[in-house]
């Protein structure tokens, strides 16, 4: 059974639809990139998948035994969050909070998980540093390590390279692809269609309605690609 099945979903706010007739599936090992124009509902869809908001109509089915403790989320960063006065270790460890229950402390296993993910993302040497003193790329690695502490199967990323310079952007895309190659299923919102078709296995292109869902290879033959992607531009929401 698919991790996520989205059936004829309409998304919107206060009774006003943003995008309609959304249909797609996400299976184990997929790397789905969600693209679209300004205001197309990409981030709204991400919030709906996280059950932070409800769809106006249609249904989203979570299957294959996926539990909330197996889903990690990397949201878009705000200016305030970039200035958060905590150590790298404290932030990464906070990703295990959903596994702590009512315990007022972190267990040995949770500390081990945090260490493993910091080493995995090559930020172990930064563990005692204050988060707000780090570069944008280092901060994103910290937040990704935090999300990995919460995730065992599925990782949701909302514009993970926003505000990063080109070199660090490429490094982040390569890192996310490596995590997918290691078995973590990825759903990522991106404004960069070129990067989407390069790294993702599947593309969901949304507008006022769904414009495309399928493999990255098939997307390159689609009308959506011919209109939005072939010119080499990017989009923002």
């Amino acid at each position: 059974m698919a991790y996520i099945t989205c059936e004829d979903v309409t998304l919107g706010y206060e009774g006003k639809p943003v995008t309609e007739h959304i249909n797609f599936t996400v299976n184990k090992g997929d790397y789905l990139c969600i693209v679209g124009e300004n205001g197309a509902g990409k981030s709204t869809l991400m919030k709906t998948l996280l059950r932070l908001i409800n769809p106006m109509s249609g249904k989203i089915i979570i299957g294959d035994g996926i539990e909330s403790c197996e889903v990690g989320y990397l949201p878009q960063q705000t200016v305030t969050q970039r200035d958060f006065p905590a150590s790298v270790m404290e932030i990464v460890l906070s990703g295990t909070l959903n596994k702590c229950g009512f315990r007022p402390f972190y267990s040995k296993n949770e500390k081990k998980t945090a260490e493993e993910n910091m080493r995995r993302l090559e930020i172990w040497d930064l563990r005692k540093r204050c988060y707000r003193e780090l570069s944008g790329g280092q901060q994103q690695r910290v937040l990704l390590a935090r999300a990995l502490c919460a995730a065992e199967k599925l990782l949701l990323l909302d514009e993970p390279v926003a505000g990063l310079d080109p070199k660090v952007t490429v490094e982040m895309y390569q890192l996310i692809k490596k995590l997918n190659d290691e078995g973590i299923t990825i759903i990522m919102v991106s404004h960069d269609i070129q990067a989407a078709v390069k790294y993702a296995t599947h593309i969901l292109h949304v507008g006022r309605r769904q414009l495309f869902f399928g493999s990255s290879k098939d997307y390159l033959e689609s009308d959506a690609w011919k209109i939005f992607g072939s010119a080499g531009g990017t989009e923002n929401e």
Side-chain angles (χ1 to χ4, degrees):
M1 185 177 182
Y3 276 1
I4 296 174
T5 302
C6 188
E7 297 182 350
D8 199 26
V9 165
T10 294
L11 305 173
Y13 297 95
E14 299 178 351
K16 297 180 180 179
V18 174
T19 186
E20 302 177 280
H21 305 302
I22 305 300
N23 295 275
F24 66 91
T25 57
V26 178
N27 293 293
K28 180 179 180 180
D30 284 352
Y31 183 163
L32 173 67
C33 198
I34 303 169
V35 300
E37 296 182 270
N38 289 354
K42 302 188 296 293
S43 292
T44 303
L45 176 56
M46 187 70 80
K47 292 174 184 175
T48 305
L49 295 177
L50 290 164
R51 300 182 180 180
L52 300 176
I53 60 175
N54 295 319
M56 293 178 63
S57 65
K59 59 183 178 180
I60 296 176
I61 303 167
I62 308 298
D64 207 15
I66 288 286
E67 303 290 341
S68 59
C69 64
E70 297 171 321
V71 179
Y73 176 48
L74 178 60
Q76 293 186 40
Q77 247 199 125
T78 66
V79 174
T80 301
Q81 289 169 332
R82 291 190 180 97
D83 199 38
F84 195 68
S87 73
V88 168
M89 175 64 84
E90 288 171 330
I91 289 177
V92 175
L93 266 173
S94 69
T96 68
L97 283 173
N98 61 350
K99 302 173 184 176
C100 290
F102 294 105
R103 284 186 285 107
F105 58 88
Y106 296 107
S107 70
K108 183 182 294 186
N109 283 339
E110 288 153 1
K111 291 178 181 178
K112 181 181 178 182
T113 297
E115 178 179 345
E116 288 173 348
N117 283 316
M118 282 188 279
R119 290 187 183 279
R120 189 180 194 179
L121 300 188
E122 301 178 355
I123 55 171
W124 176 245
D125 291 344
L126 302 176
R127 63 190 181 280
K128 296 181 181 179
R129 292 273 304 277
C130 182
Y131 176 76
R132 64 185 177 188
E133 296 174 354
L134 304 180
S135 68
Q138 289 171 331
Q139 287 187 343
Q140 284 299 82
R141 284 179 181 253
V142 171
L143 295 179
L144 188 54
R146 179 184 185 276
L148 285 169
C149 285
E152 295 178 11
K153 294 182 178 180
L154 178 62
L155 197 59
L156 276 63
L157 313 173
D158 193 354
E159 300 281 11
V161 301
L164 302 182
D165 66 49
K167 180 177 181 294
V168 177
T169 292
V170 171
E171 291 174 352
M172 184 60 64
Y173 279 135
Q174 292 174 341
L175 181 57
I176 294 167
K177 183 62 169 66
K178 181 174 179 287
L179 293 174
N180 179 243
D181 290 342
E182 291 173 356
I184 295 180
T185 302
I186 304 289
I187 301 176
M188 181 176 74
V189 167
S190 178
H191 66 274
D192 189 340
I193 294 180
Q194 301 289 329
V197 297
K198 179 178 180 179
Y199 294 105
T201 61
H202 294 78
I203 304 293
L204 173 66
H205 195 138
V206 295
R208 289 293 299 169
R209 57 181 176 80
Q210 182 170 306
L211 300 177
F212 178 86
F213 170 68
S215 70
S216 298
K217 180 180 179 181
D218 289 343
Y219 182 65
L220 293 173
E221 303 298 326
S222 71
D223 291 338
W225 169 259
K226 292 172 184 175
I227 295 171
F228 297 102
S230 59
T234 60
E235 300 170 320
N236 281 303
E237 177 167 14

